[in-house]
């Protein structure tokens, strides 16, 4: 006999003794209250349940048959060292079952610098492949038929020269532009919020976005002109409601910009795509993708789009990099598998699965194979591809889909009231909210309120080193400089110069920038030269450094251990006559500043005086700041593997300024194999991923005291 809800509650109450169901409620980082039980009552009033997959508003999926008609595309986001090495990696993966190429570029390329530029000495070939010209791009896709293999390129700042080199490489492979398929990220608003690989100020950057949409809609009908990315927002600390809202608000701004340029919405909107992160909140991540389709349909109807394709959200997903841990790293295989299944149950169109070692370094062939096979097993062995939207009708998932959509819509409306996402980004409000969310989550992890297996619970007593991929950036840079010299020696100097001058005129007077850049790339103008031609007119953006205070410390209110560390800082201050002072720096072209910002706010709340250097500093500039600010300690935040080059140069720069007493420490993505090298060069301590911040603060305080 069926029990009523009232009877069930009575039974549960008896079984749980004195615990009420309300005590079992789970409050997420987003502020959503998740109940322990969902019933039909929770979805009775929802209005998105009546449509089938492939039917507007596409909540249940953009295609009627979904994976039964065509499985999601298996992609591996990869790029490292030289174009030759990356090409070999792509070809091997394509032969082993990968179905598309996703290119990661090094930070020098992202920021529009050629490999011989003095500001990129530690960045060349490190966090992606170095591309300086058409010749590099041709090598990158050697023996990869560009009329058959789709190419996804994560590029935003130097998007014009990158696209130009790709188009010309295709031409010289014999592939017409209209046959090229794939996606360029071209999502500059998110760069100003979180990832920071911008070049130009917001206004000309938005012009570039529109020029690419215009060019591709006219000449490249199979190519997606923009991939609107929430991935980097979640990686920077955004909660899922923020990721959903800000991503769709970015998309709304791009559509508005293209329409204002006179473009027909139904001519270009069908080639827009999205890119979301998939973290460890399994059901919420699946519900997020369903809510994204629902809301995008609503947004596109507000632009009076007529075509169903214009109103249909298509997305690529990537498993979370932040969820990967250096400690007990084989657990990362399990994390990635759960995240991959969540993306598939949410209805993604393509997927990249991270490798187990990406919390430490670039993936090896061994780890990349496991990551790729995770998708193959999911696609071929589990049966999840045989049923369309298998979570449909779930009381919990449907309710969660609606709650996420409503919460995100409130933020989107708030952004509209501010005048749109460009103005919101200029205000700095979305960035600060994301940083606040990151600080809150870090405090939850440090306190053990959010369990991470192997990090803050169930730790190993000892851990063996794992094999990692190590890139010799000096050797890569030498190779790239040699190729650059050959290109400049063999090209027609006058024709190249004329093409670059024409690009400058287009930047100043109007016209399509990508069209002019393609002409320059044909004449073998380099990525740096094409970028500089536009920079002469647009300038290079400099971000204002803003930090939070109070957010991290608020999570420790009343905590005895936290107060004990604050007392240690107070005692140091009394003895020294001032508080311990730290400079947090990001050197090279690494703009991923989540770690730096979290450290800055946490140490400030603990009681340190904290200065934060501007992004993209050289070691010499960081040393100047340290001396000028009279700091005790410099904390280098590293994520892009430039630490072996940049940290020793910083220490040498301090010596030249007779400031050897300033302690240098490192934190971030640093392999254990590099620790000995850094310590021998003078780094005093290294704090890897998963470090407990209050414990690190106590250790750093002792280092400062010992050095006095």
């Amino acid at each position: 006999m069926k029990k009523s809800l009232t009877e069930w509650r009575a039974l549960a109450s008896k079984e749980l003794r004195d615990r009420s169901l309300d005590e079992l409620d789970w409050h997420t980082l987003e502020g959503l209250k998740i109940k322990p039980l969902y019933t039909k009552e929770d979805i009775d009033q929802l209005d998105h349940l009546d449509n089938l997959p492939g039917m507007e508003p596409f909540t249940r999926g953009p295609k009627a048959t979904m994976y039964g008609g065509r499985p999601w595309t298996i992609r591996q986001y990869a790029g490292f060292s030289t174009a030759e090495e990356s090409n070999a990696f792509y070809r091997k993966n394509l032969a082993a079952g990968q179905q598309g190429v996703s290119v990661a570029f090094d930070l020098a390329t992202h920021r529009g610098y050629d490999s011989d530029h003095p500001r990129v000495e530690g960045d060349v070939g490190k966090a992606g492949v170095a591309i300086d010209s058409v010749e590099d791009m041709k090598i990158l896709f050697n023996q990869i038929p560009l009329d058959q293999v789709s190419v996804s390129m994560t590029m935003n700042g130097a998007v014009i020269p990158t696209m130009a080199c790709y188009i010309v490489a295709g031409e010289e492979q014999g592939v017409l532009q209209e046959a090229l398929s794939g996606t360029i990220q071209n999502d500059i608003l998110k760069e100003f919020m979180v990832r920071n690989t911008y070049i130009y100020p917001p206004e000309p950057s938005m012009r570039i976005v529109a020029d690419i949409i215009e060019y591709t809609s006219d000449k490249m009908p199979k190519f997606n002109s923009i991939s609107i990315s929430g991935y980097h927002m979640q990686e920077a600390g955004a909660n899922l409601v923020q990721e959903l809202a800000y991503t769709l608000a970015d998309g709304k701004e791009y559509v508005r910009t293209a329409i204002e340029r006179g473009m027909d919405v139904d001519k270009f909107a069908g080639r827009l795509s999205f890119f979301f992160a998939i973290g460890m909140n399994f059901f919420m991540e699946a519900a997020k993708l369903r809510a994204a389709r629902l809301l995008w349909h609503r947004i596109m109807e507000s632009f009076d789009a007529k075509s169903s394709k214009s109103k249909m959200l298509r997305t690529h997903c990537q498993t979370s990099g932040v969820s990967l841990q250096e400690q007990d790293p084989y657990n990362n295989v399990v994390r990635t598998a759960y995240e991959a299944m969540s993306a598939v149950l949410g209805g993604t169109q393509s997927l990249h699965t991270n490798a187990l070692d990406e919390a430490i370094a670039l993936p090896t062939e061994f780890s990349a194979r496991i990551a790729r096979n995770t998708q193959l097993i999911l696609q071929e062995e589990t049966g999840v591809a045989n049923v369309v939207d298998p979570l449909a009708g779930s009381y919990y998932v449907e309710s969660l889909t609606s709650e996420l959509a409503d919460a995100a819509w409130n933020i989107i409306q708030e952004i509209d009231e501010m005048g749109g996402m460009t103005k919101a980004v200029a205000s700095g409000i979305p960035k600060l909210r994301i940083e606040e969310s990151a600080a809150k989550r870090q405090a939850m992890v440090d306190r053990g309120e959010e369990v991470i297996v192997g990090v803050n619970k169930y730790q190993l007593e000892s851990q063996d080193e794992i094999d990692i991929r190590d890139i010799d950036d000096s050797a890569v840079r030498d190779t790239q400089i040699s190729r650059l010299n050959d290109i400049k020696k063999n090209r027609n100097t006058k024709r190249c110069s004329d093409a670059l001058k024409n690009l400058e005129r287009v930047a100043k007077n109007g016209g399509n920038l990508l069209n002019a850049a393609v002409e320059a790339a044909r004449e073998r103008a380099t990525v740096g030269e094409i970028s500089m031609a536009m920079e002469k007119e647009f300038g290079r953006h400099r971000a204002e450094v803003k930090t939070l205070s109070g957010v991290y410390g608020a999570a420790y209110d009343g905590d005895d251990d936290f107060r004990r560390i604050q007392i240690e800082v107070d005692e140091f201050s009394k003895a020294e006559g001032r508080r311990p002072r730290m400079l947090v720096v990001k050197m090279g072209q690494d703009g991923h500043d989540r770690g730096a910002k979290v450290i800055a706010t946490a140490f400030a709340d603990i009681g340190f005086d904290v200065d934060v250097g501007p992004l993209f500093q050289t070691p010499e500039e960081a040393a100047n700041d340290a001396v000028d600010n009279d700091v005790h300690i410099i904390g280098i935040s590293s994520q892009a593997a430039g630490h072996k080059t940049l940290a020793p140069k910083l220490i040498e720069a301090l010596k030249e300024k007779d400031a050897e007493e300033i302690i240098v420490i490192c934190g971030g993505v640093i392999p254990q194999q590099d620790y000995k090298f850094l310590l021998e060069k003078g780094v005093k301590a290294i704090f890897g991923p998963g470090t407990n911040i209050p414990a690190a603060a106590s250790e750093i305080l002792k280092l400062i005291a010992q050095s006095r």
Side-chain angles (χ1 to χ4, degrees):
M1 182 177 178
K2 291 183 179 178
K3 287 183 171 62
S4 68
L5 180 58
T6 302
E7 290 172 318
W8 185 90
R9 288 182 182 275
L11 178 62
S13 180
K14 180 180 179 182
E15 289 177 347
L16 297 171
R17 298 177 183 171
D18 296 329
R19 295 177 67 187
S20 71
L21 288 177
D22 288 341
E23 290 176 358
L24 297 178
D25 288 342
W26 168 36
H27 291 271
T28 71
L29 184 65
E30 295 76 13
L32 301 180
K33 184 176 81 170
I34 306 300
K35 301 184 296 183
L37 174 69
Y38 285 79
T39 68
K40 190 174 183 297
E41 294 174 4
D42 291 294
I43 64 171
D44 273 346
Q45 303 303 314
L46 302 184
D47 58 6
H48 72 263
L49 301 176
D50 297 332
N51 297 297
L52 295 172
M55 292 176 57
E56 297 183 29
F58 308 110
T59 312
R60 297 194 60 189
K63 301 290 184 182
T65 55
M66 285 301 289
Y67 307 136
R70 178 185 176 186
W72 68 90
T73 301
I74 297 173
R75 293 188 181 276
Q76 288 302 96
Y77 176 56
F80 49 86
S81 186
T82 61
E84 289 91 341
E85 286 196 55
S86 295
N87 171 261
F89 188 82
Y90 296 151
R91 285 164 56 193
K92 184 176 291 187
N93 282 5
L94 287 167
Q98 183 177 309
Q99 295 156 345
V101 173
S102 293
V103 182
F105 297 94
D106 74 355
L107 289 167
T109 307
H110 272 288
R111 294 270 294 149
Y113 293 117
D114 286 334
S115 297
D116 58 359
H117 197 284
R119 298 196 74 88
V120 301
E121 188 173 354
D123 296 304
V124 177
K126 271 294 190 181
V129 60
I131 297 293
D132 291 319
S133 70
V134 169
E135 295 302 322
D136 288 335
M137 197 71 83
K138 287 169 67 177
I139 294 168
L140 187 67
F141 296 118
N142 182 40
Q143 297 184 53
I144 297 174
L146 293 178
D147 55 345
Q148 299 174 37
V149 176
S150 68
V151 175
S152 174
M153 294 182 284
T154 300
M155 177 54 68
N156 302 282
V159 63
I160 289 286
T162 300
M163 274 294 288
C165 289
Y166 167 70
I167 289 166
V168 176
E171 288 175 353
E172 297 186 10
Q173 197 186 83
V175 179
L176 298 175
Q177 290 187 40
E178 53 262 37
L180 294 171
S181 65
T183 303
I184 187 74
Q185 194 162 96
N186 193 28
D187 177 8
I188 201 63
L189 287 173
K190 122 350 223 111
E191 297 296 330
F192 292 114
M193 274 193 283
V194 290
R195 191 163 172 259
N196 300 313
T197 55
Y198 45 69
I199 299 176
Y200 314 109
E203 188 174 340
S205 294
M206 287 297 288
R207 174 189 167 184
I208 287 169
V209 170
D211 279 4
I212 290 172
I213 293 172
E214 181 181 62
Y215 184 99
T216 53
S217 64
D218 287 341
K219 300 183 179 183
M220 303 171 70
K222 296 171 67 177
F223 203 87
N224 296 328
S225 57
I226 189 167
S227 175
I228 303 146
S229 175
Y231 183 87
H232 303 96
M233 297 181 198
Q234 188 179 138
E235 292 290 280
N239 64 48
L240 269 61
V241 169
Q242 290 171 337
E243 179 194 7
L244 181 57
Y246 293 147
T247 304
L248 297 182
D250 280 352
K252 188 174 184 179
E253 189 82 340
Y254 296 134
V255 171
R256 183 186 295 115
T257 299
I259 291 173
E260 288 173 354
R261 284 279 294 269
M263 286 181 257
D264 180 350
V265 65
D266 286 315
K267 185 176 180 182
F268 68 85
R271 301 309 303 178
L272 305 181
S273 67
F274 287 81
F275 175 29
F276 287 103
I278 303 294
M280 286 298 289
N281 193 338
F282 185 88
F283 289 107
M284 191 178 285
E285 291 287 8
K288 179 184 74 181
L289 299 185
R290 303 171 91 249
R293 292 190 290 269
L294 176 67
L295 292 180
W296 187 243
H297 181 272
R298 187 184 301 173
I299 288 169
M300 293 309 294
E301 285 208 317
S302 74
F303 287 114
D304 201 28
K306 301 294 190 296
S307 169
S308 288
K309 289 184 177 180
S310 299
K311 296 181 275 188
M312 180 192 300
L313 181 143
R314 292 159 295 275
T315 189
H316 170 71
C317 290
Q318 181 175 338
T319 58
S320 172
V322 169
S323 72
L324 302 177
Q325 303 300 325
E326 179 186 35
Q327 298 92 331
D328 207 356
Y330 290 103
N331 290 340
N332 293 332
V333 177
V334 182
R335 294 184 177 103
T336 294
Y338 285 137
E339 291 168 349
M341 180 170 280
S342 178
V344 169
L345 294 178
T348 189
Q349 278 60 71
S350 69
L351 180 63
H352 164 85
T353 34
N354 288 328
L356 67 95
D357 48 2
E358 289 188 64
I360 307 165
L362 289 168
T364 62
E365 289 190 16
F366 169 77
S367 65
R369 177 171 59 85
I370 293 174
R372 183 182 63 251
N373 287 352
T374 298
Q375 291 199 57
L376 292 172
I377 291 167
L378 191 57
Q379 200 168 88
E380 303 286 352
E381 296 188 28
T382 64
V384 295
N386 298 330
V387 176
V388 181
D389 194 21
L391 294 181
S394 160
Y395 300 142
Y396 175 37
V397 173
E398 296 292 9
S399 179
L400 202 52
T401 299
S402 179
E403 285 191 65
L404 281 167
D406 289 346
W409 190 249
N410 288 337
I411 295 177
I412 292 169
Q413 289 180 308
E414 179 186 30
I415 290 166
D416 285 343
E417 290 171 3
M418 296 175 69
M421 201 59 182
T422 301
K423 291 184 178 178
V425 167
S427 76
I429 290 173
K431 185 178 183 69
L432 285 173
R433 286 183 178 173
I434 289 171
E435 290 171 3
E436 180 180 1
S437 177
K440 284 181 180 177
R441 181 167 186 262
Q442 185 62 50
M444 291 168 64
V445 172
D446 286 344
R447 294 194 67 179
E449 295 172 1
E450 182 175 326
V451 173
I452 301 179
V453 173
V455 176
N456 60 6
K457 198 172 183 180
Y458 313 113
Q459 298 100 325
L460 291 174
E461 290 185 7
S462 62
Q463 183 173 298
D464 295 332
E465 288 184 355
I466 63 172
D467 291 335
I468 62 165
R469 184 187 296 277
D470 186 35
I471 303 297
D472 183 348
D473 58 299
S474 296
V476 177
R477 191 164 185 256
D478 288 345
T479 298
Q480 292 300 118
I481 290 173
S482 176
R483 189 175 292 149
L484 276 167
N485 290 337
D486 287 343
I487 289 167
K488 291 176 181 179
K489 183 173 67 174
N490 294 320
R491 70 190 180 186
N492 185 306
T493 303
K494 184 179 186 306
R495 288 210 305 261
C496 181
S497 178
D498 288 347
L500 288 169
K501 287 177 181 175
N502 179 60
L503 178 57
E504 288 181 42
R505 284 193 293 271
V506 170
K508 183 175 183 177
N509 301 324
N512 192 286
L513 290 163
L514 180 53
N515 194 62
V518 168
E519 294 299 325
R522 287 181 181 134
E523 300 301 335
R524 292 315 188 256
T526 67
V527 167
E529 289 170 334
I530 292 172
S531 295
M532 180 54 69
M534 292 183 287
E535 187 177 334
K536 287 177 181 177
E537 176 62 25
F538 300 150
R540 185 170 280 263
H541 182 64
R542 300 285 188 272
E544 181 184 353
V545 178
K546 295 180 180 179
T547 56
L548 294 166
S549 63
V551 176
Y552 185 90
Y556 277 91
D557 187 36
D559 185 278
D560 291 339
D561 290 336
F562 192 77
R563 180 60 191 144
R564 193 174 298 116
I565 295 168
Q566 290 178 314
I567 291 170
E568 289 178 23
V569 173
D570 289 340
E571 290 173 349
F572 176 95
S573 303
K574 290 174 185 176
E576 292 289 325
R578 64 175 180 135
R579 292 186 175 277
R581 193 172 191 92
M582 171 187 279
L583 173 65
V584 179
V585 300
K586 296 284 294 183
M587 294 186 293
Q589 300 306 306
D590 176 14
H592 295 84
D593 62 351
R594 171 184 178 156
K597 291 294 184 67
V598 168
I599 289 295
T601 187
F603 272 73
D605 289 352
I606 287 167
F608 281 61
D609 283 335
V610 181
D611 298 299
V612 181
L615 289 172
F616 315 124
Q617 283 190 303
T618 65
E620 293 75 18
E621 290 166 345
N624 283 336
D625 277 0
V627 172
D628 290 345
N629 291 319
D630 192 21
V631 303
H632 295 101
I633 195 159
I634 303 174
I636 301 171
S637 176
S638 176
Q639 186 172 334
H643 48 267
K644 288 176 70 175
T645 298
L646 298 172
K649 284 184 174 295
L650 173 60
I651 292 168
E652 189 60 36
L654 290 171
K655 287 180 182 177
E656 291 175 2
K657 295 180 180 299
D658 295 322
E660 294 177 73
E661 75 281 0
I662 297 176
I663 297 167
V664 175
I665 62 172
C666 290
V669 181
I670 301 174
Q672 292 276 347
Q673 289 89 328
D674 292 350
Y675 282 23
K676 182 180 178 183
F677 171 87
L678 291 172
L679 294 171
E680 288 176 348
K681 292 294 184 180
V683 173
K684 297 302 182 184
I686 302 165
F687 301 94
T691 294
N692 180 281
I693 291 178
S698 183
E699 185 177 340
I700 289 168
L701 203 59
K702 290 173 185 174
L703 280 174
I704 298 173
Q706 290 166 5
S707 71
R708 309 315 291 164

